[in-house]
PDB file of all heavy atoms in Angstrom:
ATOM      1  N   ARG A   4     -24.384 -53.526 -46.838  1.00  0.00           N
ATOM      2  CA  ARG A   4     -23.836 -53.346 -48.190  1.00  0.00           C
ATOM      3  C   ARG A   4     -23.711 -54.657 -48.822  1.00  0.00           C
ATOM      4  O   ARG A   4     -23.382 -55.674 -48.185  1.00  0.00           O
ATOM      5  CB  ARG A   4     -22.445 -52.706 -47.991  1.00  0.00           C
ATOM      6  CG  ARG A   4     -21.832 -52.442 -49.377  1.00  0.00           C
ATOM      7  CD  ARG A   4     -20.539 -51.736 -49.383  1.00  0.00           C
ATOM      8  NE  ARG A   4     -20.871 -50.304 -49.080  1.00  0.00           N
ATOM      9  CZ  ARG A   4     -20.001 -49.491 -48.462  1.00  0.00           C
ATOM     10  NH1 ARG A   4     -18.868 -49.886 -48.114  1.00  0.00           N
ATOM     11  NH2 ARG A   4     -20.312 -48.210 -48.266  1.00  0.00           N
ATOM     12  N   VAL A   5     -23.936 -54.702 -50.038  1.00  0.00           N
ATOM     13  CA  VAL A   5     -23.800 -55.884 -50.933  1.00  0.00           C
ATOM     14  C   VAL A   5     -22.360 -55.800 -51.450  1.00  0.00           C
ATOM     15  O   VAL A   5     -21.832 -54.841 -51.976  1.00  0.00           O
ATOM     16  CB  VAL A   5     -24.869 -55.991 -52.010  1.00  0.00           C
ATOM     17  CG1 VAL A   5     -24.453 -57.200 -52.861  1.00  0.00           C
ATOM     18  CG2 VAL A   5     -26.204 -56.209 -51.369  1.00  0.00           C
ATOM     19  N   PHE A   6     -21.532 -56.901 -51.371  1.00  0.00           N
ATOM     20  CA  PHE A   6     -20.275 -57.014 -51.994  1.00  0.00           C
ATOM     21  C   PHE A   6     -20.275 -57.996 -53.076  1.00  0.00           C
ATOM     22  O   PHE A   6     -21.086 -59.023 -53.033  1.00  0.00           O
ATOM     23  CB  PHE A   6     -19.237 -57.469 -50.810  1.00  0.00           C
ATOM     24  CG  PHE A   6     -18.998 -56.458 -49.946  1.00  0.00           C
ATOM     25  CD1 PHE A   6     -19.733 -56.380 -48.707  1.00  0.00           C
ATOM     26  CD2 PHE A   6     -17.954 -55.495 -50.052  1.00  0.00           C
ATOM     27  CE1 PHE A   6     -19.442 -55.335 -47.753  1.00  0.00           C
ATOM     28  CE2 PHE A   6     -17.690 -54.468 -49.134  1.00  0.00           C
ATOM     29  CZ  PHE A   6     -18.436 -54.390 -47.976  1.00  0.00           C
ATOM     30  N   PHE A   7     -19.525 -57.713 -54.076  1.00  0.00           N
ATOM     31  CA  PHE A   7     -19.333 -58.641 -55.245  1.00  0.00           C
ATOM     32  C   PHE A   7     -17.944 -59.078 -55.379  1.00  0.00           C
ATOM     33  O   PHE A   7     -17.015 -58.355 -55.326  1.00  0.00           O
ATOM     34  CB  PHE A   7     -19.847 -57.810 -56.513  1.00  0.00           C
ATOM     35  CG  PHE A   7     -21.104 -57.294 -56.569  1.00  0.00           C
ATOM     36  CD1 PHE A   7     -21.435 -56.125 -55.870  1.00  0.00           C
ATOM     37  CD2 PHE A   7     -22.200 -58.141 -57.015  1.00  0.00           C
ATOM     38  CE1 PHE A   7     -22.756 -55.622 -55.924  1.00  0.00           C
ATOM     39  CE2 PHE A   7     -23.579 -57.631 -57.012  1.00  0.00           C
ATOM     40  CZ  PHE A   7     -23.797 -56.382 -56.454  1.00  0.00           C
ATOM     41  N   SER A   8     -17.824 -60.358 -55.384  1.00  0.00           N
ATOM     42  CA  SER A   8     -16.483 -61.016 -55.536  1.00  0.00           C
ATOM     43  C   SER A   8     -16.144 -61.511 -56.858  1.00  0.00           C
ATOM     44  O   SER A   8     -16.933 -62.197 -57.584  1.00  0.00           O
ATOM     45  CB  SER A   8     -16.414 -62.207 -54.434  1.00  0.00           C
ATOM     46  OG  SER A   8     -15.045 -62.613 -54.450  1.00  0.00           O
ATOM     47  N   LEU A   9     -15.111 -60.980 -57.435  1.00  0.00           N
ATOM     48  CA  LEU A   9     -14.776 -61.331 -58.874  1.00  0.00           C
ATOM     49  C   LEU A   9     -13.545 -62.173 -58.962  1.00  0.00           C
ATOM     50  O   LEU A   9     -12.667 -62.103 -58.076  1.00  0.00           O
ATOM     51  CB  LEU A   9     -14.403 -59.925 -59.528  1.00  0.00           C
ATOM     52  CG  LEU A   9     -15.390 -58.789 -59.587  1.00  0.00           C
ATOM     53  CD1 LEU A   9     -14.927 -57.612 -60.268  1.00  0.00           C
ATOM     54  CD2 LEU A   9     -16.759 -59.303 -60.116  1.00  0.00           C
ATOM     55  N   SER A  10     -13.529 -63.153 -59.892  1.00  0.00           N
ATOM     56  CA  SER A  10     -12.482 -64.090 -60.129  1.00  0.00           C
ATOM     57  C   SER A  10     -12.019 -64.150 -61.545  1.00  0.00           C
ATOM     58  O   SER A  10     -12.835 -63.663 -62.409  1.00  0.00           O
ATOM     59  CB  SER A  10     -12.970 -65.463 -59.634  1.00  0.00           C
ATOM     60  OG  SER A  10     -13.914 -66.024 -60.526  1.00  0.00           O
ATOM     61  N   LYS A  11     -10.933 -64.782 -61.826  1.00  0.00           N
ATOM     62  CA  LYS A  11     -10.340 -64.731 -63.106  1.00  0.00           C
ATOM     63  C   LYS A  11     -11.273 -65.545 -64.177  1.00  0.00           C
ATOM     64  O   LYS A  11     -11.632 -64.970 -65.211  1.00  0.00           O
ATOM     65  CB  LYS A  11      -8.917 -65.391 -63.039  1.00  0.00           C
ATOM     66  CG  LYS A  11      -8.285 -65.474 -64.390  1.00  0.00           C
ATOM     67  CD  LYS A  11      -6.858 -66.028 -64.268  1.00  0.00           C
ATOM     68  CE  LYS A  11      -6.141 -66.163 -65.608  1.00  0.00           C
ATOM     69  NZ  LYS A  11      -4.814 -66.644 -65.447  1.00  0.00           N
ATOM     70  N   PHE A  12     -11.437 -66.814 -63.800  1.00  0.00           N
ATOM     71  CA  PHE A  12     -12.149 -67.615 -64.757  1.00  0.00           C
ATOM     72  C   PHE A  12     -13.676 -67.438 -64.875  1.00  0.00           C
ATOM     73  O   PHE A  12     -14.226 -67.506 -65.947  1.00  0.00           O
ATOM     74  CB  PHE A  12     -11.872 -69.132 -64.592  1.00  0.00           C
ATOM     75  CG  PHE A  12     -10.458 -69.470 -64.672  1.00  0.00           C
ATOM     76  CD1 PHE A  12      -9.823 -70.049 -63.676  1.00  0.00           C
ATOM     77  CD2 PHE A  12      -9.829 -69.303 -65.918  1.00  0.00           C
ATOM     78  CE1 PHE A  12      -8.499 -70.434 -63.878  1.00  0.00           C
ATOM     79  CE2 PHE A  12      -8.449 -69.595 -66.051  1.00  0.00           C
ATOM     80  CZ  PHE A  12      -7.789 -70.115 -65.017  1.00  0.00           C
ATOM     81  N   ILE A  13     -14.236 -66.959 -63.817  1.00  0.00           N
ATOM     82  CA  ILE A  13     -15.748 -66.827 -63.757  1.00  0.00           C
ATOM     83  C   ILE A  13     -16.048 -65.387 -64.453  1.00  0.00           C
ATOM     84  O   ILE A  13     -16.797 -65.238 -65.342  1.00  0.00           O
ATOM     85  CB  ILE A  13     -16.314 -66.852 -62.423  1.00  0.00           C
ATOM     86  CG1 ILE A  13     -16.223 -68.357 -62.002  1.00  0.00           C
ATOM     87  CG2 ILE A  13     -17.799 -66.417 -62.434  1.00  0.00           C
ATOM     88  CD1 ILE A  13     -16.622 -68.599 -60.594  1.00  0.00           C
ATOM     89  N   ASN A  14     -15.396 -64.303 -63.954  1.00  0.00           N
ATOM     90  CA  ASN A  14     -15.776 -63.056 -64.379  1.00  0.00           C
ATOM     91  C   ASN A  14     -14.843 -62.427 -65.495  1.00  0.00           C
ATOM     92  O   ASN A  14     -15.356 -61.544 -66.231  1.00  0.00           O
ATOM     93  CB  ASN A  14     -15.737 -61.964 -63.178  1.00  0.00           C
ATOM     94  CG  ASN A  14     -16.624 -62.562 -62.074  1.00  0.00           C
ATOM     95  OD1 ASN A  14     -16.146 -62.919 -61.082  1.00  0.00           O
ATOM     96  ND2 ASN A  14     -17.965 -62.535 -62.314  1.00  0.00           N
ATOM     97  N   PHE A  15     -13.620 -62.892 -65.546  1.00  0.00           N
ATOM     98  CA  PHE A  15     -12.829 -62.345 -66.602  1.00  0.00           C
ATOM     99  C   PHE A  15     -12.422 -63.346 -67.587  1.00  0.00           C
ATOM    100  O   PHE A  15     -11.390 -63.223 -68.325  1.00  0.00           O
ATOM    101  CB  PHE A  15     -11.474 -61.741 -65.902  1.00  0.00           C
ATOM    102  CG  PHE A  15     -11.772 -60.543 -65.250  1.00  0.00           C
ATOM    103  CD1 PHE A  15     -12.003 -60.472 -63.800  1.00  0.00           C
ATOM    104  CD2 PHE A  15     -11.947 -59.272 -65.833  1.00  0.00           C
ATOM    105  CE1 PHE A  15     -12.241 -59.351 -63.242  1.00  0.00           C
ATOM    106  CE2 PHE A  15     -12.085 -58.072 -65.208  1.00  0.00           C
ATOM    107  CZ  PHE A  15     -12.333 -58.119 -63.921  1.00  0.00           C
ATOM    108  N   LYS A  16     -13.310 -64.431 -67.889  1.00  0.00           N
ATOM    109  CA  LYS A  16     -13.032 -65.367 -68.969  1.00  0.00           C
ATOM    110  C   LYS A  16     -13.025 -64.690 -70.179  1.00  0.00           C
ATOM    111  O   LYS A  16     -12.209 -64.828 -71.124  1.00  0.00           O
ATOM    112  CB  LYS A  16     -14.105 -66.435 -68.901  1.00  0.00           C
ATOM    113  CG  LYS A  16     -13.922 -67.518 -69.984  1.00  0.00           C
ATOM    114  CD  LYS A  16     -15.124 -68.447 -69.958  1.00  0.00           C
ATOM    115  CE  LYS A  16     -14.854 -69.582 -68.974  1.00  0.00           C
ATOM    116  NZ  LYS A  16     -15.864 -70.642 -69.077  1.00  0.00           N
ATOM    117  N   SER A  17     -13.951 -63.673 -70.358  1.00  0.00           N
ATOM    118  CA  SER A  17     -14.014 -62.712 -71.432  1.00  0.00           C
ATOM    119  C   SER A  17     -13.548 -61.364 -70.829  1.00  0.00           C
ATOM    120  O   SER A  17     -14.248 -60.841 -69.904  1.00  0.00           O
ATOM    121  CB  SER A  17     -15.359 -62.513 -72.000  1.00  0.00           C
ATOM    122  OG  SER A  17     -15.569 -61.326 -72.705  1.00  0.00           O
ATOM    123  N   GLN A  18     -12.440 -60.933 -71.152  1.00  0.00           N
ATOM    124  CA  GLN A  18     -11.860 -59.713 -70.572  1.00  0.00           C
ATOM    125  C   GLN A  18     -12.859 -58.524 -70.738  1.00  0.00           C
ATOM    126  O   GLN A  18     -13.013 -57.767 -69.790  1.00  0.00           O
ATOM    127  CB  GLN A  18     -10.432 -59.384 -71.159  1.00  0.00           C
ATOM    128  CG  GLN A  18      -9.808 -58.226 -70.386  1.00  0.00           C
ATOM    129  CD  GLN A  18      -8.356 -57.939 -71.078  1.00  0.00           C
ATOM    130  OE1 GLN A  18      -8.091 -58.392 -72.138  1.00  0.00           O
ATOM    131  NE2 GLN A  18      -7.613 -57.374 -70.273  1.00  0.00           N
ATOM    132  N   GLU A  19     -13.459 -58.402 -71.867  1.00  0.00           N
ATOM    133  CA  GLU A  19     -14.334 -57.282 -72.233  1.00  0.00           C
ATOM    134  C   GLU A  19     -15.519 -57.383 -71.154  1.00  0.00           C
ATOM    135  O   GLU A  19     -15.935 -56.340 -70.617  1.00  0.00           O
ATOM    136  CB  GLU A  19     -14.808 -57.397 -73.583  1.00  0.00           C
ATOM    137  CG  GLU A  19     -15.827 -56.244 -74.025  1.00  0.00           C
ATOM    138  CD  GLU A  19     -16.175 -56.358 -75.432  1.00  0.00           C
ATOM    139  OE1 GLU A  19     -15.333 -56.772 -76.295  1.00  0.00           O
ATOM    140  OE2 GLU A  19     -17.367 -56.071 -75.707  1.00  0.00           O
ATOM    141  N   LYS A  20     -16.159 -58.536 -71.030  1.00  0.00           N
ATOM    142  CA  LYS A  20     -17.250 -58.660 -70.056  1.00  0.00           C
ATOM    143  C   LYS A  20     -16.839 -58.373 -68.697  1.00  0.00           C
ATOM    144  O   LYS A  20     -17.645 -57.756 -67.912  1.00  0.00           O
ATOM    145  CB  LYS A  20     -17.877 -60.015 -70.278  1.00  0.00           C
ATOM    146  CG  LYS A  20     -18.558 -60.316 -71.543  1.00  0.00           C
ATOM    147  CD  LYS A  20     -19.225 -61.624 -71.702  1.00  0.00           C
ATOM    148  CE  LYS A  20     -20.011 -61.680 -73.039  1.00  0.00           C
ATOM    149  NZ  LYS A  20     -20.593 -63.093 -73.171  1.00  0.00           N
ATOM    150  N   GLY A  21     -15.674 -58.803 -68.362  1.00  0.00           N
ATOM    151  CA  GLY A  21     -15.178 -58.615 -66.895  1.00  0.00           C
ATOM    152  C   GLY A  21     -15.049 -57.168 -66.657  1.00  0.00           C
ATOM    153  O   GLY A  21     -15.378 -56.670 -65.570  1.00  0.00           O
ATOM    154  N   ILE A  22     -14.484 -56.464 -67.611  1.00  0.00           N
ATOM    155  CA  ILE A  22     -14.170 -54.967 -67.429  1.00  0.00           C
ATOM    156  C   ILE A  22     -15.472 -54.295 -67.332  1.00  0.00           C
ATOM    157  O   ILE A  22     -15.730 -53.442 -66.516  1.00  0.00           O
ATOM    158  CB  ILE A  22     -13.220 -54.482 -68.595  1.00  0.00           C
ATOM    159  CG1 ILE A  22     -11.861 -54.970 -68.321  1.00  0.00           C
ATOM    160  CG2 ILE A  22     -13.424 -52.997 -68.718  1.00  0.00           C
ATOM    161  CD1 ILE A  22     -10.873 -54.750 -69.445  1.00  0.00           C
ATOM    162  N   THR A  23     -16.409 -54.642 -68.258  1.00  0.00           N
ATOM    163  CA  THR A  23     -17.715 -54.056 -68.207  1.00  0.00           C
ATOM    164  C   THR A  23     -18.416 -54.274 -66.834  1.00  0.00           C
ATOM    165  O   THR A  23     -19.073 -53.403 -66.253  1.00  0.00           O
ATOM    166  CB  THR A  23     -18.692 -54.587 -69.297  1.00  0.00           C
ATOM    167  OG1 THR A  23     -18.015 -54.353 -70.527  1.00  0.00           O
ATOM    168  CG2 THR A  23     -20.071 -53.995 -69.219  1.00  0.00           C
ATOM    169  N   LEU A  24     -18.327 -55.458 -66.331  1.00  0.00           N
ATOM    170  CA  LEU A  24     -18.922 -55.782 -65.015  1.00  0.00           C
ATOM    171  C   LEU A  24     -18.307 -54.914 -63.899  1.00  0.00           C
ATOM    172  O   LEU A  24     -18.906 -54.350 -63.100  1.00  0.00           O
ATOM    173  CB  LEU A  24     -18.724 -57.256 -64.712  1.00  0.00           C
ATOM    174  CG  LEU A  24     -19.129 -57.741 -63.312  1.00  0.00           C
ATOM    175  CD1 LEU A  24     -20.639 -57.535 -63.048  1.00  0.00           C
ATOM    176  CD2 LEU A  24     -18.797 -59.164 -63.046  1.00  0.00           C
ATOM    177  N   ALA A  25     -16.940 -54.894 -63.888  1.00  0.00           N
ATOM    178  CA  ALA A  25     -16.224 -54.194 -62.855  1.00  0.00           C
ATOM    179  C   ALA A  25     -16.626 -52.660 -62.953  1.00  0.00           C
ATOM    180  O   ALA A  25     -16.677 -52.031 -61.866  1.00  0.00           O
ATOM    181  CB  ALA A  25     -14.715 -54.376 -63.052  1.00  0.00           C
ATOM    182  N   ARG A  26     -16.762 -52.047 -64.170  1.00  0.00           N
ATOM    183  CA  ARG A  26     -17.049 -50.730 -64.213  1.00  0.00           C
ATOM    184  C   ARG A  26     -18.538 -50.406 -63.777  1.00  0.00           C
ATOM    185  O   ARG A  26     -18.847 -49.295 -63.402  1.00  0.00           O
ATOM    186  CB  ARG A  26     -16.830 -50.263 -65.648  1.00  0.00           C
ATOM    187  CG  ARG A  26     -15.475 -50.127 -65.981  1.00  0.00           C
ATOM    188  CD  ARG A  26     -15.231 -49.659 -67.484  1.00  0.00           C
ATOM    189  NE  ARG A  26     -13.824 -49.522 -67.752  1.00  0.00           N
ATOM    190  CZ  ARG A  26     -13.329 -49.448 -69.025  1.00  0.00           C
ATOM    191  NH1 ARG A  26     -14.111 -49.632 -70.000  1.00  0.00           N
ATOM    192  NH2 ARG A  26     -12.003 -49.433 -69.184  1.00  0.00           N
ATOM    193  N   GLY A  27     -19.303 -51.476 -63.806  1.00  0.00           N
ATOM    194  CA  GLY A  27     -20.753 -51.324 -63.373  1.00  0.00           C
ATOM    195  C   GLY A  27     -20.996 -51.405 -61.926  1.00  0.00           C
ATOM    196  O   GLY A  27     -22.143 -51.209 -61.452  1.00  0.00           O
ATOM    197  N   LEU A  28     -19.963 -51.746 -61.141  1.00  0.00           N
ATOM    198  CA  LEU A  28     -20.077 -51.960 -59.726  1.00  0.00           C
ATOM    199  C   LEU A  28     -19.527 -50.845 -59.038  1.00  0.00           C
ATOM    200  O   LEU A  28     -18.493 -50.255 -59.445  1.00  0.00           O
ATOM    201  CB  LEU A  28     -19.290 -53.213 -59.324  1.00  0.00           C
ATOM    202  CG  LEU A  28     -19.789 -54.602 -59.804  1.00  0.00           C
ATOM    203  CD1 LEU A  28     -18.897 -55.677 -59.459  1.00  0.00           C
ATOM    204  CD2 LEU A  28     -21.202 -54.948 -59.358  1.00  0.00           C
ATOM    205  N   PRO A  29     -20.118 -50.350 -57.869  1.00  0.00           N
ATOM    206  CA  PRO A  29     -19.499 -49.394 -57.075  1.00  0.00           C
ATOM    207  C   PRO A  29     -18.107 -49.805 -56.516  1.00  0.00           C
ATOM    208  O   PRO A  29     -18.001 -51.008 -56.147  1.00  0.00           O
ATOM    209  CB  PRO A  29     -20.422 -49.257 -55.820  1.00  0.00           C
ATOM    210  CG  PRO A  29     -21.741 -49.870 -56.353  1.00  0.00           C
ATOM    211  CD  PRO A  29     -21.394 -50.828 -57.271  1.00  0.00           C
ATOM    212  N   ASN A  30     -17.079 -49.062 -56.674  1.00  0.00           N
ATOM    213  CA  ASN A  30     -15.727 -49.507 -56.323  1.00  0.00           C
ATOM    214  C   ASN A  30     -15.705 -50.087 -54.863  1.00  0.00           C
ATOM    215  O   ASN A  30     -14.952 -50.957 -54.537  1.00  0.00           O
ATOM    216  CB  ASN A  30     -14.788 -48.415 -56.393  1.00  0.00           C
ATOM    217  CG  ASN A  30     -14.406 -47.941 -57.826  1.00  0.00           C
ATOM    218  OD1 ASN A  30     -15.003 -48.469 -58.700  1.00  0.00           O
ATOM    219  ND2 ASN A  30     -13.418 -47.089 -58.024  1.00  0.00           N
ATOM    220  N   GLU A  31     -16.498 -49.511 -53.956  1.00  0.00           N
ATOM    221  CA  GLU A  31     -16.384 -49.824 -52.552  1.00  0.00           C
ATOM    222  C   GLU A  31     -17.178 -51.150 -52.255  1.00  0.00           C
ATOM    223  O   GLU A  31     -17.183 -51.649 -51.086  1.00  0.00           O
ATOM    224  CB  GLU A  31     -17.037 -48.811 -51.603  1.00  0.00           C
ATOM    225  CG  GLU A  31     -18.424 -48.446 -51.839  1.00  0.00           C
ATOM    226  CD  GLU A  31     -18.726 -47.401 -52.973  1.00  0.00           C
ATOM    227  OE1 GLU A  31     -17.802 -47.044 -53.675  1.00  0.00           O
ATOM    228  OE2 GLU A  31     -19.896 -47.063 -53.158  1.00  0.00           O
ATOM    229  N   CYS A  32     -17.577 -51.837 -53.303  1.00  0.00           N
ATOM    230  CA  CYS A  32     -18.299 -53.084 -53.206  1.00  0.00           C
ATOM    231  C   CYS A  32     -17.586 -54.326 -53.819  1.00  0.00           C
ATOM    232  O   CYS A  32     -18.120 -55.419 -53.871  1.00  0.00           O
ATOM    233  CB  CYS A  32     -19.767 -53.031 -53.730  1.00  0.00           C
ATOM    234  SG  CYS A  32     -20.740 -51.863 -52.985  1.00  0.00           S
ATOM    235  N   ILE A  33     -16.358 -54.025 -54.332  1.00  0.00           N
ATOM    236  CA  ILE A  33     -15.678 -55.078 -55.025  1.00  0.00           C
ATOM    237  C   ILE A  33     -14.708 -55.917 -54.183  1.00  0.00           C
ATOM    238  O   ILE A  33     -13.939 -55.283 -53.543  1.00  0.00           O
ATOM    239  CB  ILE A  33     -14.896 -54.412 -56.291  1.00  0.00           C
ATOM    240  CG1 ILE A  33     -15.931 -53.864 -57.169  1.00  0.00           C
ATOM    241  CG2 ILE A  33     -14.013 -55.496 -56.929  1.00  0.00           C
ATOM    242  CD1 ILE A  33     -15.287 -53.047 -58.403  1.00  0.00           C
TER     243      ILE A  33
END
Side-chain angles (χ1 to χ4, degrees):
R4 179 176 287 157
V5 174
F6 289 90
F7 299 89
S8 188
L9 305 179
S10 72
K11 180 177 180 179
F12 295 123
I13 293 173
N14 304 109
F15 288 98
K16 181 184 275 186
S17 160
Q18 187 175 21
E19 182 180 322
K20 288 180 181 179
I22 287 172
T23 300
L24 174 62
R26 287 181 179 159
L28 297 172
N30 288 10
E31 63 273 6
C32 295
I33 297 174

